[in-house]
Amino acid sequence: MTLPEFGVRLRKRRKAAGISLRQFATRVHYSPGWISRVENGAAPTDEFVRIVDDMLGAGGELIALARAEQPRAMILNPAQLPPTAARFSGRSDALEEIDRIHRTAPDDTPLIIAVDGPAGAGKTAFVLQVAHGLADQYSDGVLYADLQGWGLHSTPLEPGHVLERHLGALGIAAESIPPGTDERAALLRTVVAGRRILMVLDNARDAAQVRPLLPGTAGCATLITSRRRLTGLAVSAGAHRVELGPMPATESVALLRTVIGASRSDAEPTAVEALADRCGHLPLALRITAETLAARPHRAIAAAVEELEGQGRLDALMADDDPSLAVRTVLACSYRALDPEAARALRYLGIYPARSITAAVAAVLLDRELGQARRLLDSLAATHLLEETQGDRFRLHDLVRDFAVERAADEESADARAEVIRRLATWVMYAVDAAGFAIAPQRPIELLGEPPAAVPSFSDPDEARAWCDSIADLIVPLVRCAAEHHLAAAWEIPARLWNWLMLAKPWGLWIDSHTVGLAAATKAGNIAGRAWLAMNLGEAYRQSAHFDLARRYLLESQTLRRELGDVHGQAWVEACLGFTDVDEAEHEAAIAHFNYALDLFEQVGDRHGGYVVMASLAEALGHLGDAKAEAMFETALELTHGDEYAAGVLWARRAGVHQSQGDLGAALAALEESIALRKAAGDEWGAADALDRRGQILHETGRQEEARAAWTAARETFETLGDPRAEQLADRLSSP
């Protein structure tokens, strides 16, 4: 007969220690005969097991063996799951992912699933929903523990304390539970070995808190929730990570409807969608708002939306009878857990005016080296206070941003907040200046001078354009902040974006940044800034076919240029007025402006301005049938050598003249040249414009398939750029 392993291991350890049976009996205060019977298969008492394990330095091994060999009836089948959340809704994708992981898990290893996500994402409710669905597959019981990893007024539970509770729930007598965490962990693994146990570890602080609690054998599964990414568990224990973020819009609306009621929601469908948006699609915020509305059946949903507008949103997102159920409270728990540097970083992100940020811009914002800034962003992302959207770009959830703004206002002085904006605006101003020169060095614009440290340099136009693209969503809010702080960057940034704006054509950004900058320059009495921005704003309105507004701002700039005696600036204003005249078929007026501009460009020695205006003058002359137009086009083309952007515009103007003269073949050929040059120059909008015009000519000549191909390509580019012409082309393409 095979003896129980406990007795065999006890005898081996005693003899290895050189202790006789009688000596051992004296030391443990048990009779030699009784010890002999235990070593030969008799069941030991819990007290005896604990004493001999300690005396022989077994580190819990003998305790674990004794527990494992207890009769099965002595071990309990716990059922500790709390109830599921009432009216649980949504998370269909995550539920399917958990189901897939569970179904395909290998049979020879324990299953561990770590669900992480931001505060208020509903991780606990989700995991309890999952656990209740799986519980009947774990015949030996379900263990649950709230690890209190992120409580505002509590400290995380020690793993040893949780192990003691779990062992007790499994039927281990208190006196048989060893004192050390490692010994308790070993005993837990022994007790659950060969059994099917589901363990739910809610609200974990980090991997170190969880690791001692994990079962070690197949047949068991562990579900964990945490606000922190438990990457360490994925690496060391093979845990599967499932991330819960804000809910999809459709699920947010469904959750609101479930709680508020279908008939009431159907009466205000637009308000329900707006309410979901104002809650940031965060389950906690959605439930608080929905339950509040459900308790007030006569209140309009639209009124709740209005309450969540503005800066008081966090005040509204709390349960009336439970202060712990508040978005601000759960965010405060995460904030309190940050180290001082990461907490400062979150506050500074509350000062930052845009929605997303790159690591390079964050380094400037935080006044830290790039590597340190990246680590701080990663630290915030690891606790889901910041979301990494792509590559090196991060963004704050709307509600986290509200919280960060509050922390910055409460914990940073007004001077400190102003210094953050000054430092950031100065850096962007000099970086934009450098980028503009790299994009189009042929356009002579006086640079700002020696830039401050860490301002990027650009080796080629593509790199400069990509950098400008990366900060596009920062420009308007930063210009507004600069204006509020009376900084010259308020007008310098938009003015020095000119070369990028000419290529990218972001109409809203262009017009908004210049409108704010123009007002700031006017308030500051900076006439030069006003003159540049008024002219640039006029050109934006011209290119977007708002000619009355274009003339208004161009004439304002013309007056200011003359007041300053700025000959170079006057030349460009005259050119822009001429462009406007051509667009409105006022060719004789355009010729007058272009001739004057040519004289002024010659005075200041601006070769680039000269050939741009010469090409435009040729266009105006060509529309009037002047024989000099063709020779002037050729001269201008020779002068544009190396300037692909200007050459592309020239060929487009030439195409317009050919078209007006009825030479459609020459017009198509000129547009082909324009498209190729503009693509080479990175002028996507210009290429799309030429494709649109080419499609129109092809349509007129009966080449319908080619016309549709040109319009389709143009529409795709305009859609990418957010240009309203995309919709016009879509309508045209949908027509038979």
Side-chain angles (χ1 to χ4, degrees), residues 458-716:
F458 303 99
S459 58
D460 59 63
D462 290 341
E463 182 186 7
R465 282 196 62 193
W467 182 86
C468 290
D469 292 343
S470 76
I471 64 156
D473 64 347
L474 171 61
I475 295 301
V476 173
L478 182 59
V479 166
R480 292 188 192 281
C481 284
E484 291 168 4
H485 289 83
H486 313 293
L487 302 174
W491 55 88
E492 292 285 5
I493 289 174
R496 293 177 184 279
L497 269 175
W498 176 255
N499 290 337
W500 176 72
L501 293 171
M502 289 290 287
L503 291 174
K505 298 293 192 297
W507 302 119
L509 184 157
W510 186 341
I511 291 170
D512 289 349
S513 65
H514 279 67
T515 301
V516 174
L518 179 58
T522 302
K523 186 175 182 179
N526 189 292
I527 299 175
R530 284 179 61 193
W532 273 111
L533 266 65
M535 186 189 75
N536 293 359
L537 193 53
E539 184 64 6
Y541 281 122
R542 178 192 74 81
Q543 292 191 33
S544 57
H546 296 86
F547 300 117
D548 289 344
L549 285 170
R551 290 185 187 281
R552 168 188 155 188
Y553 285 106
L554 290 172
L555 291 173
E556 178 183 344
S557 181
Q558 184 184 58
T559 300
L560 294 169
R561 300 290 194 189
R562 288 171 177 171
E563 180 181 341
L564 289 168
D566 178 5
V567 176
H568 193 199
Q570 288 181 63
W572 277 114
V573 173
E574 292 295 330
C576 291
L577 285 167
F579 300 153
T580 308
D581 287 334
V582 169
D583 289 343
E584 293 197 290
E586 299 287 344
H587 300 301
E588 291 182 355
I591 290 169
H593 284 299
F594 290 145
N595 279 321
Y596 186 27
L598 272 176
D599 290 341
L600 295 177
F601 280 129
E602 187 174 349
Q603 287 181 40
V604 297
D606 183 349
R607 178 176 174 274
H608 166 74
Y611 61 68
V612 168
V613 170
M614 185 180 294
S616 301
L617 177 58
E619 179 184 16
L621 291 170
H623 282 300
L624 294 177
D626 194 311
K628 296 192 297 291
E630 192 61 26
M632 192 172 289
F633 269 131
E634 290 297 332
T635 301
L637 184 60
E638 290 177 10
L639 292 172
T640 62
H641 180 69
D643 187 348
E644 292 169 326
Y645 177 88
V649 174
L650 183 152
W651 279 106
R653 295 187 184 283
R654 204 167 183 174
V657 172
H658 289 312
Q659 188 174 3
S660 69
Q661 295 172 346
D663 191 349
L664 300 185
L668 286 172
L671 286 171
E672 287 291 346
E673 292 282 357
S674 179
I675 292 166
L677 285 163
R678 287 175 136 176
K679 286 182 177 179
D683 182 8
E684 296 177 18
W685 184 91
D689 178 68
L691 280 164
D692 182 12
R693 292 173 57 186
R694 183 173 183 272
Q696 294 174 37
I697 295 174
L698 290 167
H699 177 71
E700 289 176 20
T701 56
R703 296 158 66 178
Q704 302 304 330
E705 289 302 316
E706 293 177 79
R708 293 183 66 83
W711 284 336
T712 299
R715 179 184 61 79
E716 290 172 353

